[in-house]
Each structure stands twice: as structure tokens, then as C-alpha cells.
Amino acid sequence: MGILLLITKPLGIYLFQVLDGKNTFLEPVLGPVERFTYRLLRVDPRREQGWKQYTAAMLLFSLVTMVFTYAVLRLQDHLPFHGIIDGLLNKTAITPDLAFNTAASFTTNTNWQAYTGENTMSYFSQMVGLASHNFWSAAVGIAIAAALVRGIARHESGTVGNFWVDLVRIHYYLLLPICIFYAAFLISQGIPQNFKPYDTAQLTEKQTIQVPKTDASNNPVKDTAGNVVLQDQSVETQSIVEGPIASQIAIKMLGTNGGGFVNANAAHPFENPTPLSNFLQMLSIFAIPSALTYYLGRAVKNQKHGWAVWGAMAAIFLVGVITCWKAEADGSPNLYRNGVVQTDGNMEGKEMRFGIFNSALFATITTDASCGAVNSMHDSFTPIGGLVPLFNIQLGEIVFGGVGAGLYGMLIFVILAVFIAGLMVGRTPEYLGKKIQAFEVKMAGLVVLVLTLSILGFAAWAAGANNFGAPDPVTNALTNGTNNNGPHGFSEILYTFSSATGNNGSAFAGIGANTPWYNTTIALATLIGRFFMIVPIMAIAGSLAAKKLVPAGPGSFPVDGWTFIILLIGTVLLIGALNFLPALALGPVVEHFLMYTGKLF
Amino acid sequence: MKSSDLNQRRSADQAPLLQTDRAGVGTPNPGGKDYSILQETLTSILATVVLGLIVSGLYPLVVWGLGQGLFHHKADGSLIVAADGTTVLGSELLGQNFGGKQYFNPRPSAAGAAGYDPTASSGTNLGPTSDKLINGQHKKDAAGKDVTDPSNFDGIKDLVAAYRTANGLKDADAVPADAVTRSGSGMDPHISVANAQLQLPRVARERGKSPDEIRQIVDKYTEGRDLGIFGEPHVNTLLLNLALDGKLPSVAGK
């Protein structure tokens, strides 16, 4: 936390240089490249766009990149690096529903993954189809935040910046330079970066497993009673996953994307080998979102306001960490009643090298931000430990938040807080010299309502219908797809759509959601969560930019200091609690009490 | 950097390219007459190609060059190669299953049917009120006897009982959590120091060595906290077991 505080100002100043067209120290090297890129893209960098043009450019770019990734995944079996491991699925094309789900989820910075990376995606799909979006969607998020901040900072202006200029500058001056050094450091900790086939290790101790016996035509053999006949199979080797992992992990963290190379994400030793790499990954999730608050203060020439927003975020963050840590350290009575050391806490689904604290901390950070990388399995958390990440997402991931998304999400709450404060004292609400009027409040309300509706609506649909999930392996009947029964199963469904709508991408990962229904609805939820948020926000940006500046008077509500911080936190918690407490009561809350009675499902 | 420096810099940098200071600012129709959706679509496609080549081509190659040049062993997956120079025994970072009494047993694993399968990394994803997690799942035949089946799953209770039996613990003795819970990745090579200490007498007995001899090797493969503050102390079971077998090139000579 202290280190985060230290890097916020310098990185914030640097962001200001990047986003407001100032020359950075990299200008002598990258300036010519930047100008050449504009010529290639046929963009006039001097010409700014109004909010509608800016939004249209953003939507078109998102659409084109999404179609691009869909095509890469569908054509995987014709592209380089396919079938690099014999017998595994990445020889084949991705199914349409999974490709749609994955393309939508990566375009929206969600990185929900209904597939198992290491046996489904080829190196080409990972590197070109997926990792590219980690840059693009992160840059789009930062660009939108910059446009909104410009809208707040300007007055009587018809423009909010140029999307293409923002996109290119964020890539060249911010993401790429940091990622190259960051990725190299991650390799030094043990993350692989190569293009060779999977290695085969000879196991020291051979294992035996039972597999269904098959006849010559590869059909399972059944005995007279209709049961599948099993045979022993000796496992003598271990396939060691390889690939261009480090380059993808660096941007996955810095861009708060969270889409891992392998299924276990940052819990896997190849994605997160050491406690030190773990610490840096956590720091890099928060780095840009935190610096953006400083950028906000600088751009609107009210640095105290930037720090006030930072302070509100930090306060919610700390409460979350402590709650989650305490719950996980207390552990599950179902474990310690059965002879497990109580003080070890809830180690199910956690890595030994991280332990309880770093797992709880990571879980809180990844959901405060819209990252969604996980270094432990949230599904196996205690009910309250799991409630913290779930509620973090439902609050809108505004605690530092995703790159850009966190700041523009939080500014929605700032507008609502200013509006509520205005109502309380009976004056026209003002924010930094701009009157907040019906239009802005309607747009802010729209954002909050659409997100809530998407989360609760889809979750209620899935929980009510009960047969959208993966089929039962024995009977082949469709199930609700949940890996756990009882309230925890409901939590899995609720978490799924919270994560999708919030563009987080982490999961209560037991849920069997790689089915056409889930893939499609989750993809829709990610698109709703991204673009039904961005478009109203851009409308607010355009509206604020055009407004006249009103000189601050005695009735102006100060947007720095403790009153504002407390009011902002209150607004966030109040809206989040009103929207989601009933649903949470049915999931983690009731499970918490049942856990102490010893009831199992 | 002092804030006065920054102000100076800022005023010195008022070049024409500044987005805030551009000619378009403040004009009602900055897009101009030549703005068209077709042009923007073309730019989107061009941007996808140009930025795609950089972030998906150039960038991974630069990282690959740096990694292979500076940290070749790690960039290639931290492989452990046997004394013959060709056989790969594993990766220092990935666990393997060791069920034998002469080995330090790693944590149970949910990755693949045999456990520790890097192509199927996963945890159990079972929550604390899961009956399957606590009591396990055992297929029984008509007479109520356990039968072998791929769907069988050892619960916490089964794992605690097995650990106590294997290491000669009493029924009242608590078992370290890491010994009976599955990790998030299913690839965790590490166990806690307490877990290693409980297994140590058994390994020494099976190998006919004194506990002190074994303890020295355990200490060698115990990793402390990074920089003294991050993470928990842990023992790498793969390196430890290979060292006990004399298969690690660095240890084989001893």
C-alpha cells in the first residue's frame, strides 16, 4: 500500500504527459514512430473529436477487433502453431459459441474464460487473438477515462480529444515500455517465454488411473449390467506446458485484464512462480488505476480532489482486505472439526507459497480492480471470504478499478454523491464548477440500473431454469452446471453474471459454463457491462465539456476533504447494498451461518 | 522532481501537437466536413493491423529475446534434466505426485485424473459446505463395498485419516492444512515446513537414514519468504525427492 502511494504521483504525472499530448522522456525515440503511425492510420492527430465521434470510433475499433479475434479462434486449426501438442484439443477450431464468448469477453476487458487455456488454445490464438486484446481493451478503457476527465476539465468545448491519438499514445508511451521490462522481470522469476512444443518429463513415480475401456472403434465397452468397464492405465510422463507466457502475463496484470494463459491462472506456478512475482502482479494491477486519480486531480487543477477520490478507494479496499483475510484465516469449521490444524486457515484452493494472507489480498485486489486474475480458487473460499470479491465486483469495481474503467466508474458515483449532497442542502448540485443537471444524473442512473439489471436478471434466469449448465457426465442430462449444491451453488451463478457484467472475469470457477446458453448470455452480459456503461459516460463527458464554468460560491460543495470522502463512500455502499443485499443473503450470507451449524450439501 | 520543475516543463512543452491546445478545441464542429463513418471503419481496420503487429508480433518477440538471452533456463520452463543430459525429469516449479513412503508426499491435487497434470491445471472449486469436499465421494457396489471408479474422490476426512496412518499420528493429532487440501492450480510443488517435519521420521526410516541426514536435505530445499516479507516458508517436494534419490545433478555427486 505504501509503495502504491509512492508510485501514484510520478506515474500520474507521466499519465498526464501521455494523455494530454505533452512530450514524454520517450519522445525522441518514439515520436517519429508515433507520427508515422498516424500517417498509416490516416489520422490527423491535430483534429479533435466531439463525444459522439469519439464514441463511434471506440465502438468501431472494438467491433473490428472483436470480429478479428472471433475469426482467429474459429480458424485456429489453419493458423500457425496449431496442434503443437499431440492429442490435445488445440488442433481443432473453437466452437462458435465459445469463440463468440471469448471474443466478447476479451474485447470488453473481461477475460472470462470458459475454456482451459493450456489444452484448447494454440500459441497463435493466445498471442494474436487474445493477448492483443489485453493491450487494446486496456487502452480503450484509459482513453475513455481520459475523455471523461477532459469533459470535466474543459468548459464551453465541443470536443473531448481524439480517440486514435489516445489509443496510439497509450500503447506506445505507457503499456508497451512498461510491459517489456515487467515481462523480462517475470521471466527472471520463472515464467516461461518460448515457442517450443510442450516438454515431456519422465515421472519418477509412475501413477495408475482408471479409464473407460474402449473397443476397436473407440466406443466405451459396457458390461452386461450396462456399466462402463474400466481398465488401468499407467501414467509415466508429465506434459510440461510451454509457450509465450511471460509477455501475456505482463499485460494481463498491467491492463487489469486477468485472462490467463493456463486454466489455473495466477495460481499456476508458471504464471506466478514466487511470492515476489505475486507482489509485483498485485502492484501492477493497481498501478495505472491509482495513478489515474492523480491524473484526474492534475487535469482538473484540483489535486486535493484527486487524492480524495484515492482516499475513498483506499478506505473501501482496506476494509475488504481485512474482512477477507480474517474470514480465510479463521477457516472453515468443517475442516478443523475433522482434524485439520485450525490456525492454518482455509487452505483449500490456495497455493502454499502464497499462504492465506497473500491469497486474500490478491482476491480483494483483483476484484477491486476489474482484473479477474486469481491466485487462489475463489470458489473454495469461506462464505464471507468469497463475499468480499463478489461484493467488490457488484459495487462496480470502482476501488481503483480497471484501467480507466475504475476511474470513470467512480466518477459516476462522484456525480451521484454530488447530486445527493445537493438535494440534502437544497441547492443546484455543482461539480468542479459545472452544474450537475437532469441529463447527467439520468445517465449516471442508467449506468447503475443497467448493470444491476444485467447481473440480477441473468442470474435469476439461470438459477430459475436450472438446466443451462454442463451435462451430467453419467446421465448426459443437462444440469444447472454448478459444482456445489445448496447456497454455494447459487453463489456460483450470481458470481458468474456479476463477473461478466462487471467485466471482471474471475469466477467461482466450479461452474460448468462452457455451454451454448452460458457462453451466449455471459458474452451478452460482458457487452452490456462494457458499452452500456461507456456510452452514457461519454454522453456525460460531452455534456460537461460544453457547459459554462460557474464560479465557486459559498454554496458550492467542496469535492475534497473528509466530508466528501465519507459521502462518496456512503453513496457507493448505499447503492451497492440496496441493489445486491437480497441476492447476497440467499448466497454467501446464509451459507456462512449454515457452515457453523455443520450442514453440508 | 520538484513541482516547480514540472510547471516549467509544462510551459516549455507547448508544442503544436498538444491535444489540449489543438485548433479544434472549442469549435462546434471539429470533425470537419470530411468526417465519414467509412473513413473511421478503415482506420479501425488499419489500427487493428498496425497495433496487432506490434503487440502480438514485435512485443512477444522482444520479450522472447530478452528472456532467452538473460534467463535462458527460466524462459524455457526451469526444466530439470537428468545426469544423462537429455531426459527431462520435470520442472522446478511444477509439482509431481509422490505417493511412496520413501518420499515426501506433496499436497493432493485436482489437476487431471492422476493429479499434477499440467495440461489440466485446476483446483477442486468445492466450497466449505460441500459434502463432497468434506466426506468425499465413493462409489459402492450392491453390497455397500467401495469399488474403484474414476469419479471417486477423497474428502478431507479420508485424507486426514490417510495422513495420520502414513505418518504414525494419533487420532487426536491435528494435521497441517496444506497436507489435506488441494491447491488452486493442482500443480503446487510446495508443502509447509510443519508438514515436512511430520513426514520426516517416516522418510528417514524407509530410507534407513538418520533423521538428521534427511533434515539437512529438507533444509536445503526450504525456501524462506521473498525479501524476508512476502509469502510463507515452504518446501519444494519435487526437488527434495529428486535430491533424496540422488537424481539432481547438483546433489548426485555427494
Side-chain angles (χ1 to χ4, degrees), chain B residues 36-157:
Chain B
S36 79
I37 205 89
L38 219 63
Q39 171 63 39
E40 290 291 278
T41 311
L42 181 65
T43 303
S44 298
I45 293 168
L46 290 170
T48 306
V49 173
V50 173
L51 293 177
L53 281 172
I54 293 172
V55 301
S56 303
L58 194 63
Y59 162 67
L61 281 177
V62 168
V63 174
W64 175 77
L66 280 174
Q68 294 287 336
L70 295 172
F71 314 105
H72 177 69
H73 170 69
K74 285 175 169 166
D76 265 356
S78 309
L79 300 179
I80 308 167
V81 181
D84 65 7
T86 52
T87 311
V88 176
L89 296 174
S91 163
E92 290 166 24
L93 297 172
L94 305 181
Q96 287 178 8
N97 233 340
F98 288 92
K101 288 182 174 176
Q102 74 277 30
Y103 290 117
F104 283 88
N105 307 141
R107 302 177 64 181
S109 162
Y116 289 95
D117 178 356
T119 63
S121 61
S122 176
T124 61
N125 283 312
L126 292 170
T129 57
S130 161
D131 183 53
K132 183 177 170 186
L133 178 70
I134 305 301
N135 292 320
Q137 183 172 299
H138 304 280
K139 196 170 180 181
K140 296 192 190 300
D141 60 15
K145 274 188 172 174
D146 285 357
V147 291
T148 54
D149 188 82
S151 69
N152 280 356
F153 180 91
D154 283 336
I156 300 283
K157 279 183 187 169

Side-chain angles (χ1 to χ4, degrees), chain A residues 48 118 162 205 263 349 352, chain B residues 19 22 99 107 121 182 188:
Chain A
E48 293 220 337
E118 62 263 40
N162 183 314
E205 191 183 74
N263 188 44
M352 194 56 226
Chain B
Q19 216 169 346
R22 272 185 204 118
R107 302 177 64 181
S121 61
R182 292 162 177 90
D188 192 353

Side-chain angles (χ1 to χ4, degrees), chain B residues 48 110 170 239 253:
Chain B
T48 306
K170 291 192 284 289
L239 291 178

Side-chain angles (χ1 to χ4, degrees), chain A residues 240-251:
Chain A
I240 295 181
V241 174
E242 302 287 356
I245 305 182
S247 55
Q248 185 166 336
I249 301 311
I251 185 61

